[in-house]
C-alpha cells in the first residue's frame, strides 16, 4: 500500500508478522536540505525523496507512526490497512 500527501509518501508492506512502514520525504526546493542534495549530486534538478522512517510495526500502530510524520489516512485507506493487517 502506498500513500502520498504533499512531499511525503509512505509504503506499507507485510513483513515477518508485522507491517514494514517506510516513510520518505522530499525537501522543499528552496530549503537547505535540497541545497545539500545538489551539492552531493550536481545533476539534480528537483528534490529527491529521502527515507525518514523505516520500522516494522503491528497493524494497530501504523496510523500512529504515520501521524507522527504528518500523514493522515482517509476512511478507504484505513479499510485497506485493516485488510493488509489481517493478512499476517
Amino acid at each position: 500500500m502506498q500513500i502520498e500527501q504533499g512531499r511525503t509518501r509512505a509504503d506499507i508492506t507485510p513483513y515477518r508478522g508485522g507491517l514494514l512502514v517506510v516513510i520518505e520525504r522530499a525537501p522543499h526546493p528552496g530549503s537547505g536540505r535540497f541545497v545539500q542534495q545538489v551539492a552531493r549530486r550536481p545533476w539534480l534538478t528537483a528534490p529527491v525523496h529521502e527515507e525518514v522512517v523505516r520500522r516494522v510495526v503491528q497493524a494497530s500502530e501504523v496510523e500512529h507512526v504515520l501521524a507522527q510524520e504528518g500523514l493522515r489516512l482517509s476512511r478507504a485507506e484505513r479499510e485497506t490497512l485493516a485488510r493488509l493487517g489481517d493478512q499476517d
Side-chain angles (χ1 to χ4, degrees), residues 23-71:
I23 301 175
E24 299 174 333
R25 183 172 292 125
H28 187 275
S31 71
R33 189 74 194 120
F34 176 59
V35 172
Q36 290 174 348
Q37 283 185 348
V38 172
R40 281 182 290 164
R41 297 176 256 173
W43 59 87
L44 288 179
T45 57
V48 176
H49 281 87
E50 295 179 330
E51 194 172 293
V52 178
V53 174
R54 176 180 289 263
R55 289 179 52 190
V56 176
V57 296
Q58 298 301 314
S60 60
E61 301 172 83
V62 172
E63 195 168 353
H64 177 71
V65 172
L66 295 175
Q68 286 178 330
E69 295 300 323
L71 293 168

Side-chain angles (χ1 to χ4, degrees), residues 3 14-15 27 29 39 45 57 60 74-75 77 84 88:
I3 301 167
Y15 182 81
T45 57
V57 296
S60 60
S74 67
R75 179 179 295 160
E77 290 168 336
L84 195 62
D88 326 335

